Amino acid sequence: MLTQLTIKNYALIDELQVSFNNGLTIITGETGAGKSILLGGLSLILGKRADLASVKDSSKKCVIEGVFDIAKYNLKTLFKTQDLDYESLTIIRREILPSGKSRAFINDTPVRLDDLQVLGAHLLDIHSQHQTLQLTNDDFQFQIIDALANNDNYLSRYISEVKTFKSLSAEIEKLHSQKAESLKELDYNLFLLKELEEAKLVDGELETLESEYETLNNIEEIKDKLGQSHQLLDNEDVGITSQLRDIKQHLSKLVNYGSQYQSIYNRIDSSLIEMDDIFTEIENLEEQLEADPNRLEVVNLKLQTLHNLMQKHVVSSETELIAIREDLASKVTETENLDAHIAEKENDKEQLKTKLVSICKTIHNNRVKVIPKLIQQLESILATLGMPNAKFSIDLKQSNIFLSNGSDVLEFLFSANKGGQFNDLKKSASGGELSRIMLAIKYILSNYTQLPTIMFDEIDTGVSGEISNKMAIIMQEMSKAMQVFTITHLPQIAAKGDHHYKVFKQDIDEVTQTQLKKLTPEERIVEIAQMLGGVDVSNSALEHAKQLLN
């Protein structure tokens, strides 16, 4: 429940701090006194977007802070899910800075507005004329029925499973699209893959083939040059090796005359050894050389194939061609396996659909069971609220579509007059009737679920006299299990409260400010007397006020 509210620098409020208790709390005040300001401040700590125009002094920070006792609300799991520190006395604070930037805190932890809205929905329900219109909304009507049907666990399972079902359906649709695109490319990919596979690509082969081609294509010139080199090295008279041997012979006679001669001798000896080795290698190369036109043609064709493929795929090596071949093979395999993958996912979807149909059936049956009870309770309460001829017709039909809260299609119809035709609520109920229906529904819900603190903003619009007295009694009953606030202009309702606050304007230092004050028993008598007879309080109005309070 809301235990304390602090508002600083907001609208016509300079600074306000007020404490609240459980039970039924009444808030009264003249039109324009600032009751909407109070609601606006509360809305901010529930996650409503901030507006710099609502700040009283734009050069200062605006702060709205609410303290909530949540020990009985079973919200530890929610706090854990939202990654928040749980405190049985939880403090929510909103700040609007002079820059226009807004900040929100839960127990001094900075949070986003959507986090504030999630928690706020469990703490405070501000009932306004706008919320009354929820009565005509299917989702809200289902919430009423499901609360009585105790469908929470089934709906949680359904929401989780239907999320998976939709995700799976989207995945299957994506696979079908992928298959359609892949089939368009399959023939071309197979053609490209066949070309690359027939090329029998080997990593590093291009360089070897180019070398072999150059040799085979120039074999006569190579043989000629090797032969000439062979003769230059081995000619008996003028060959290099013969001359080196002669030089070595001459120098061998000088080695004993000094180290410098030994050094040059050693170098000539090394050169001779190297020349002999070169000669042997040239000789071997000559022996290996043999013209092979057939092999030259094979090598040439293979090179042409490789160069054509590299040009076609815009690459510069056979390594890149091999990578393309592997990628194409993977795409072809993936396309060929898509049917099996789709069939597997379709099977999973069908099993999940069977499970969802079963859950929907349970939810539907539970709803059907409680509808007569809901109708009976609604009509009974509304009869006490001056609507003795109010009748409801609630019809559920199962569809084959998975909707947000099951597969049911709901028809929630109303007739206000005896013998009248059933019609949509928004077409057949007036504003005052809708307010009474909403109060009846909130009362019924309070008996089946843990509602948060509720604030009724002039729910008594359009009613008076004995009916308002009955509405007050219903709010009193609700306040035994929860904290209830009601903003009212009717003395019959104001007199039923456990606590009474007055909103009023006051000029302080020539500045109009909104104030909120808890009334003493004596002040309360005067306030109710003024609600009965106007500002000039008569003795009869005072007596009437005392009677109402007693």
Side-chain angles (χ1 to χ4, degrees):
M1 71 174 191
L2 178 64
T3 62
Q4 186 171 293
L5 178 65
T6 302
I7 300 177
K8 296 180 182 178
N9 193 33
Y10 179 71
L12 295 179
I13 296 175
D14 185 39
E15 183 167 352
L16 173 70
Q17 186 175 71
V18 59
S19 297
F20 298 108
N21 298 101
N22 55 12
L24 177 59
T25 297
I26 303 297
I27 298 175
T28 58
E30 293 180 5
T31 300
K35 297 186 291 296
S36 60
I37 295 173
L38 186 65
L39 293 174
L42 285 169
S43 296
L44 282 174
I45 60 174
L46 296 179
K48 181 184 175 183
R49 295 206 169 275
D51 181 2
L52 188 60
S54 62
V55 177
K56 186 174 189 290
D57 183 346
S58 59
S59 67
K60 298 178 183 178
K61 180 168 67 174
C62 166
V63 179
I64 297 98
E65 184 176 279
V67 181
F68 294 86
D69 183 350
I70 61 171
K72 297 179 181 179
Y73 284 11
N74 298 319
L75 293 177
K76 288 183 180 179
T77 302
L78 176 65
F79 272 72
K80 187 176 180 180
T81 303
Q82 300 294 108
D83 196 24
L84 296 169
D85 294 328
Y86 176 83
E87 298 289 345
S88 57
L89 275 181
T90 281
I91 301 172
I92 299 179
R93 185 171 78 255
R94 277 297 290 281
E95 296 179 354
I96 307 173
L97 306 180
S99 63
K101 183 179 178 182
S102 166
R103 300 188 299 187
F105 303 86
I106 298 175
N107 293 329
D108 284 330
T109 300
V111 295
R112 298 173 302 177
L113 279 192
D114 53 355
D115 295 324
L116 211 57
Q117 290 164 2
V118 169
L119 178 60
H122 294 271
L123 301 182
L124 184 61
D125 175 10
I126 297 178
H127 173 86
S128 61
Q129 290 295 322
H130 170 71
Q131 198 199 40
T132 297
L133 296 177
Q134 279 188 322
L135 272 173
T136 62
N137 179 282
D138 278 1
D139 286 341
F140 185 73
Q141 292 167 0
F142 273 119
Q143 286 176 30
I144 302 163
I145 297 168
D146 287 326
L148 273 68
N150 199 23
N151 269 337
D152 279 358
N153 290 334
Y154 296 110
L155 285 168
S156 295
R157 279 178 55 202
Y158 172 80
I159 290 167
S160 174
E161 298 288 9
V162 88
K163 183 179 179 182
T164 305
F165 182 81
K166 288 180 178 178
S167 175
L168 196 54
S169 298
E171 188 179 352
I172 290 169
E173 188 175 338
K174 186 178 178 182
L175 285 171
H176 278 295
S177 298
Q178 185 181 336
K179 179 185 173 183
E181 288 300 314
S182 297
L183 287 174
K184 290 178 186 176
E185 300 174 2
L186 181 61
D187 288 342
Y188 184 57
N189 286 342
L190 281 170
F191 170 74
L192 293 177
L193 180 60
K194 185 180 179 183
E195 270 189 332
L196 291 169
E197 286 178 338
E198 287 177 348
K200 294 183 171 55
L201 301 169
V202 177
D203 201 7
E205 184 182 28
L206 181 62
E207 187 178 349
T208 304
L209 286 171
E210 287 177 338
S211 176
E212 185 179 1
Y213 174 80
E214 290 301 322
T215 298
L216 290 170
N217 196 44
N218 299 284
I219 196 163
E220 295 302 327
E221 184 182 356
I222 294 169
K223 287 178 75 172
D224 180 57
K225 299 303 179 188
L226 285 174
Q228 290 181 36
S229 299
H230 185 277
Q231 287 182 359
L232 285 171
L233 282 169
D234 197 42
N235 187 287
E236 191 172 341
D237 296 322
V238 295
I240 295 172
T241 53
S242 296
Q243 292 184 46
L244 281 173
R245 286 191 186 94
D246 288 344
I247 294 169
K248 179 181 176 183
Q249 181 73 22
H250 292 308
L251 290 176
S252 67
K253 296 175 181 178
L254 303 178
V255 294
N256 294 326
Y257 298 154
S259 61
Q260 67 271 32
Y261 303 114
Q262 178 69 53
S263 174
I264 197 70
Y265 171 82
N266 290 341
R267 291 172 65 187
I268 287 294
D269 187 48
S270 296
S271 297
L272 182 59
I273 292 170
E274 178 67 15
M275 285 300 107
D276 282 337
D277 188 55
I278 291 170
F279 175 78
T280 301
E281 190 164 343
I282 288 173
E283 199 170 42
N284 289 337
L285 286 171
E286 276 189 292
E287 289 175 359
Q288 291 170 12
L289 280 176
E290 185 179 345
D292 189 346
N294 292 331
R295 177 60 185 167
L296 177 61
E297 186 178 356
V298 169
V299 171
N300 186 40
L301 286 172
K302 185 66 181 285
L303 281 171
Q304 284 181 2
T305 299
L306 288 174
H307 284 299
N308 288 339
L309 287 171
M310 286 189 291
Q311 186 177 14
K312 184 174 187 174
H313 293 281
V314 197
V315 296
S316 58
S317 71
E318 70 271 42
T319 304
E320 292 172 285
L321 284 176
I322 290 170
I324 291 170
R325 182 190 67 192
E326 299 304 319
D327 183 54
L328 284 168
S330 176
K331 285 181 178 178
V332 169
T333 302
E334 188 176 332
T335 302
E336 291 171 345
N337 291 340
L338 268 176
D339 280 336
H341 192 38
I342 290 171
E344 181 184 343
K345 293 295 181 182
E346 291 280 12
N347 183 56
D348 291 344
K349 180 182 174 182
E350 199 58 37
Q351 290 183 17
L352 191 54
K353 182 179 179 181
T354 302
K355 188 187 295 186
L356 279 169
V357 168
S358 175
I359 297 172
C360 285
K361 184 67 175 175
T362 302
I363 292 171
H364 173 80
N365 290 340
N366 289 347
R367 287 169 173 169
V368 169
K369 287 176 186 175
V370 300
I371 283 174
K373 185 177 181 181
L374 173 61
I375 290 174
Q376 184 272 323
Q377 290 185 3
L378 277 173
E379 292 177 352
S380 175
I381 295 169
L382 290 174
T384 67
L385 294 177
M387 296 171 64
N389 298 316
K391 298 293 176 185
F392 289 88
S393 173
I394 303 175
D395 187 37
L396 280 179
K397 288 186 174 65
Q398 273 198 290
S399 70
N400 55 3
I401 301 171
F402 295 130
L403 304 168
S404 62
N405 50 17
S407 61
D408 289 335
V409 177
L410 176 65
E411 196 173 40
F412 200 108
L413 304 178
F414 173 72
S415 171
N417 304 307
K418 186 177 287 188
Q421 294 293 317
F422 283 105
N423 213 329
D424 289 336
L425 272 171
K426 59 185 173 185
K427 293 180 180 179
S428 55
S430 66
E433 288 169 339
L434 282 175
S435 292
R436 282 176 273 178
I437 294 169
M438 179 59 94
L439 178 61
I441 284 170
K442 293 287 185 181
Y443 173 70
I444 292 168
L445 286 176
S446 70
N447 292 322
Y448 291 91
T449 185
Q450 178 65 58
L451 290 179
T453 291
I454 190 166
M455 179 170 284
F456 291 111
D457 179 17
E458 298 184 5
I459 197 169
D460 49 31
T461 299
V463 299
S464 60
E466 183 58 25
I467 303 305
S468 62
N469 188 53
K470 296 288 175 115
M471 292 180 81
I473 292 171
I474 288 175
M475 286 186 270
Q476 272 187 320
E477 284 294 314
M478 291 177 68
S479 71
K480 292 177 182 177
M482 60 187 295
Q483 186 184 35
V484 178
F485 290 85
T486 183
I487 297 172
T488 183
H489 288 293
L490 298 181
Q492 292 88 347
I493 290 179
K496 289 288 193 295
D498 299 304
H499 320 283
H500 192 151
Y501 292 80
K502 181 176 182 178
V503 181
F504 61 96
K505 285 181 181 177
Q506 187 177 28
D507 292 338
I508 301 175
D509 296 331
E510 298 186 354
V511 177
T512 301
Q513 295 187 23
T514 289
Q515 303 285 337
L516 179 67
K517 177 185 179 182
K518 186 174 184 179
L519 300 181
T520 64
E522 292 76 17
E523 291 170 332
R524 195 173 179 192
I525 292 170
V526 174
E527 174 68 8
I528 292 174
Q530 288 178 339
M531 294 173 75
L532 286 164
V535 177
D536 297 325
V537 179
S538 64
N539 288 331
S540 62
L542 288 171
E543 287 302 317
H544 191 183
K546 290 176 184 177
Q547 289 175 6
L548 286 175
L549 285 166
N550 290 328

